[in-house]
C-alpha cells in the first residue's frame, strides 16, 4: 500500500461518520448490545468485537490499522507508553526457566525491566554485543525464546544486521523483537527483514509534538492476538481514544517532519565533523560511522538523532557547553518539533555512578524542525566553553 493511502485514507470510513473529515473520537468506555444473543456472540471474541474500550475502540482501531500498515505487519496494538509496549511484547513470549538474549545497550527502562523484573520471574537474560550477528551462536541455548534488538540504539547508534539475526533466530525457533523507535517505520521496516515483533515509543516520531506518551507493538495477527488476550487486556495499559486521535493528527505530517529532521541532522552532523571543540560525531549515515555498510543496507534515513563527543574530558566544560545553548532545550525524549540536547554529564556525576554506560563528554542531539543554520550557529557559539 502506498504511504499516502496509509496516512490519509486507510481505516477512515466517512460513511460511518456523517461524512466528517477528521476521525471522530469515540470517548466511550463500553458498547451496548441489542439482545442477549448479540451480547453472548460478541463477548466470545473481544479481539474482533466492540465490547469494552480496554479491548477495542473505533478511534484506536484507526491508529492500529495505520501503524500496522506502516510497519508492513498484519496488526498492531497501542499502549499507554512505549515502555508498556516493550514490556507486553517481551512478557508475551517468556515463562519461568526461559532465556532472553538482549542487545547490550537497550533503552534504560528496557534494561531495568529485564534486570529487575523479568529476572524475578525466573527468566535468564544475557546482554550481548550483537554488532556481529554470528555472536548469537555463543549465547543461544535450548531455552532461548526471545532475541531483543534495538537498532539503532538511540544514544550511540550501534546497529544489528536485521536480516542476518532473524535468519539465525528462525533456524532456532526464536522470536525476534526490535525497538524501532529511533528510525520510525518510515526509515526502517524490520518485518521486511523477518523480525517478528516491532515496538515503538509512539511518544517520539509517531505523535511528534511532545504532548502524548504512548507505545505500539506490531506483528502478525497471531502474535498480536496472543498479546491482546493476555498482556493487553490483563495489564490494561491502554491508550485513551482522545490520545489516539492526537497521534492520528500527528501522523498526518510524519513524512514532512521526518524528512526535515533527517536532512537537517545530517547537515549539522556533517558540518560538525572536524569542527574545533568536537572530538567525533556519531551519526549512522556519516562515512566515518563504523557500521555504515549496515545502515546503508537496512535504513533509508536516520531521523533527527545523533551524538557528539566534545573534545574535553572535563565535566565542568561539558556542563558549560550544555548550559550555553539557547536554541536547544535540555530535556529527555525526542521526536517532537523542537530541538533538544541530552548531555551525559547530567547522569555521570551521580554519586556512586562509577560505571557509566556512556562517556561524560557525550551529548545526544535531537534536531527538530528549526532552520539547521540557526541551530548550527547555537552549537558553534557554545563550543567556546570547550575550546577555551
Ligand atoms: C522513549 C523510548 C522508549 C520508551 O517509551 P515511552 O513512551 O517513554 O514509555 C523506548 N525505547 C526507546 C528507544 C525510547 O527512546
Amino acid at each position: 500500500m502506498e504511504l499516502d493511502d496509509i496516512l490519509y485514507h486507510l481505516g477512515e470510513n466517512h460513511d460511518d461518520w456523517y461524512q466528517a473529515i477528521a476521525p471522530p473520537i469515540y470517548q466511550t468506555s463500553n458498547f451496548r448490545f441489542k439482545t442477549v444473543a448479540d451480547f453472548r456472540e460478541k463477548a466470545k471474541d473481544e479481539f474482533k468485537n466492540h465490547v469494552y474500550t480496554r479491548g477495542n475502540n473505533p478511534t484506536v482501531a484507526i491508529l492500529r490499522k495505520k501503524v500496522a500498515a506502516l510497519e508492513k505487519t498484519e496488526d498492531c496494538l497501542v499502549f499507554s507508553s512505549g515502555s508498556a509496549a516493550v514490556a507486553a511484547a517481551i512478557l508475551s513470549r517468556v515463562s519461568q526457566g526461559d532465556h532472553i538474549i538482549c542487545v547490550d545497550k537497550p533503552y534504560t527502562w528496557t534494561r531495568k525491566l529485564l534486570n529487575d523484573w523479568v529476572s524475578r520471574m525466573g527468566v535468564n537474560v544475557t546482554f550481548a554485543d550483537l554488532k556481529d550477528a554470528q555472536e548469537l551462536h555463543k549465547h543461544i541455548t535450548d531455552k532461548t525464546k526471545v532475541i531483543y534488538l534495538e537498532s539503532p540504539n538511540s544514544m550511540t547508534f550501534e546497529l544489528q544486521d536485521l536480516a542476518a539475526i532473524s535468519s539465525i533466530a528462525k533456524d532456532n525457533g526464536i522470536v525476534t523483537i526490535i525497538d524501532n523507535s529511533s528510525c520510525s517505520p518510515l526509515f526502517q521496516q524490520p518485518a521486511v527483514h523477518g523480525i517478528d515483533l516491532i515496538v515503538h515509543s509512539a511518544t517520539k516520531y509517531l505523535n511528534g509534538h511532545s504532548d502524548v506518551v504512548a507505545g505500539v507493538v506490531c506483528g502478525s495477527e497471531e502474535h498480536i492476538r496472543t498479546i491482546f488476550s493476555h498482556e493487553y487486556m490483563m495489564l490494561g495499559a491502554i491508550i485513551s481514544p482522545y490520545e489516539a486521535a492526537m497521534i492520528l493528527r500527528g501522523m498526518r505530517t510524519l513524512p514532512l517532519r521526518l524528512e526535515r529532521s533527517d536532512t537537517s541532522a545530517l547537515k549539522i552532523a556533517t558540518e560538525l565533523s572536524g569542527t574545533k571543540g568536537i572530538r567525533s560525531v556519531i551519526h549512522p549515515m556519516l562515512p566515518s560511522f563504523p557500521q555504515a555498510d549496515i545502515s546503508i543496507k537496512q535504513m533509508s534515513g536516520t531521523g533527527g538523532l545523533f551524538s557528539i563527543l566534545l573534545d574535553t574530558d572535563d565535566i565542568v566544560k561539558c556542563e558549560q557547553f550544555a548550559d550555553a545553548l539557547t536554541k536547544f532545550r535540555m530535556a529527555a525524549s525526542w521526536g517532537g518539533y523542537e530541538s533538544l540536547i541530552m548531555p551525559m554529564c547530567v547522569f555521570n556525576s551521580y554519586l556512586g555512578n562509577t560505571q557509566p554506560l556512556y562517556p561524560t563528554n557525550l551529548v545526544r542531539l535531537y534536531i527538530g524542525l528549526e532552520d539547521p543554520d540557526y541551530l548550527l550557529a547555537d552549537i558553534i557559539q557554545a563550543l567556546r566553553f570547550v575550546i577555551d
Side-chain angles (χ1 to χ4, degrees):
M1 197 181 301
E2 286 193 41
L3 181 60
D4 287 341
D5 282 327
I6 299 171
L7 292 176
Y8 309 119
H9 296 285
L10 180 66
E12 304 188 36
N13 301 318
H14 302 284
D15 287 344
D16 297 342
W17 309 341
Y18 299 93
Q19 306 306 333
I21 293 288
I25 302 172
Y26 289 93
Q27 194 70 33
T28 182
S29 57
N30 44 359
F31 301 86
R32 76 164 190 143
F33 310 98
K34 288 185 180 160
T35 61
V36 169
D38 182 33
F39 196 167
R40 189 177 290 138
E41 196 50 38
K42 291 199 170 123
K44 275 186 200 158
D45 188 1
E46 287 211 37
F47 185 64
K48 287 287 173 216
N49 299 315
H50 287 105
V51 177
Y52 189 55
T53 281
R54 178 154 41 76
N56 278 318
N57 176 279
T59 308
V60 179
I62 304 166
L63 183 55
R64 287 175 57 185
K65 286 203 178 95
K66 287 186 193 288
V67 176
L70 288 176
E71 279 294 2
K72 295 197 164 54
T73 53
E74 287 171 2
D75 205 345
C76 152
L77 289 170
V78 186
F79 291 83
S80 55
S81 71
S83 290
V86 168
I90 293 175
L91 295 175
S92 73
R93 307 309 312 176
V94 290
S95 325
Q96 191 176 12
D98 289 343
H99 175 232
I100 298 174
I101 299 172
C102 178
V103 69
D104 62 356
K105 283 189 257 167
Y107 176 70
T108 321
W109 291 97
T110 304
R111 172 179 280 273
K112 285 189 207 265
L113 171 83
L114 293 169
N115 274 336
D116 302 352
W117 212 65
V118 171
S119 58
R120 267 200 273 145
M121 293 169 51
V123 173
N124 295 309
V125 184
T126 303
F127 291 95
D129 177 348
L130 299 179
K131 284 202 277 301
D132 175 5
Q134 301 309 318
E135 183 78 9
L136 274 176
H137 292 297
K138 288 190 206 153
H139 303 292
I140 291 174
T141 72
D142 57 353
K143 301 280 190 218
T144 309
K145 293 286 158 57
V146 168
I147 297 172
Y148 187 92
L149 310 172
E150 200 178 296
S151 182
N153 142 323
S154 61
M155 295 301 303
T156 40
F157 308 96
E158 284 89 353
L159 308 178
Q160 298 100 54
D161 183 330
L162 303 185
I165 289 182
S166 79
S167 146
I168 296 170
K170 281 191 169 48
D171 288 346
N172 290 276
I174 302 169
V175 167
T176 44
I177 305 175
I178 187 171
D179 183 333
N180 195 31
S181 306
S182 183
C183 262
S184 94
L186 287 195
F187 291 149
Q188 177 169 273
Q189 293 160 335
V192 173
H193 304 289
I195 302 295
D196 297 305
L197 288 170
I198 297 109
V199 300
H200 284 273
S201 168
T203 313
K204 313 294 165 54
Y205 290 127
L206 291 174
N207 179 59
H209 292 76
S210 306
D211 50 12
V212 172
V213 175
V216 301
V217 180
C218 304
S220 68
E221 184 180 328
E222 193 192 343
H223 273 139
I224 294 298
R225 191 185 253 282
T226 305
I227 299 174
F228 178 90
S229 37
H230 298 90
E231 290 71 24
Y232 189 75
M233 288 296 283
M234 290 177 192
L235 301 179
I238 63 157
I239 191 175
S240 72
Y242 176 74
E243 287 187 313
M246 298 268 283
I247 300 175
L248 281 170
R249 176 185 167 129
M251 278 172 53
R252 302 292 191 191
T253 55
L254 182 66
L256 295 173
R257 290 185 283 107
L258 265 172
E259 278 156 26
R260 170 76 169 177
S261 281
D262 185 58
T263 313
S264 300
L266 188 55
K267 178 178 177 183
I268 296 171
T270 306
E271 300 261 348
L272 289 180
S273 305
T275 293
K276 202 164 161 20
I278 296 205
R279 196 168 290 165
S280 61
V281 179
I282 313 172
H283 184 298
M285 293 296 171
L286 285 182
S288 59
F289 187 70
Q291 297 177 286
D293 54 331
I294 302 182
S295 42
I296 288 160
K297 192 172 80 169
Q298 64 193 25
M299 292 157 56
S300 56
T302 303
L305 288 176
F306 69 96
S307 288
I308 53 177
L309 286 162
L310 297 172
D311 195 11
T312 178
D313 298 311
D314 180 348
I315 191 165
V316 175
K317 288 187 174 185
C318 297
E319 289 187 29
Q320 286 172 332
F321 168 80
D323 288 343
L325 291 166
T326 61
K327 310 301 183 193
F328 287 80
R329 293 170 172 90
M330 205 185 309
S333 197
W334 43 274
Y337 54 87
E338 75 289 4
S339 291
L340 303 174
I341 60 152
M342 174 119 126
M344 281 308 105
C345 59
V346 173
F347 308 103
N348 291 8
S349 65
Y350 271 2
L351 213 57
N353 190 4
T354 50
Q355 283 182 309
L357 216 45
Y358 301 108
T360 301
N361 62 342
L362 187 138
V363 181
R364 201 270 306 277
L365 302 176
Y366 168 68
I367 305 301
L369 305 182
E370 305 90 333
D371 186 319
D373 292 326
Y374 167 89
L375 297 171
L376 194 58
D378 194 32
I379 299 171
I380 301 288
Q381 65 78 22
L383 280 173
R384 70 184 188 278
F385 289 102
V386 179
I387 296 162
D388 289 348

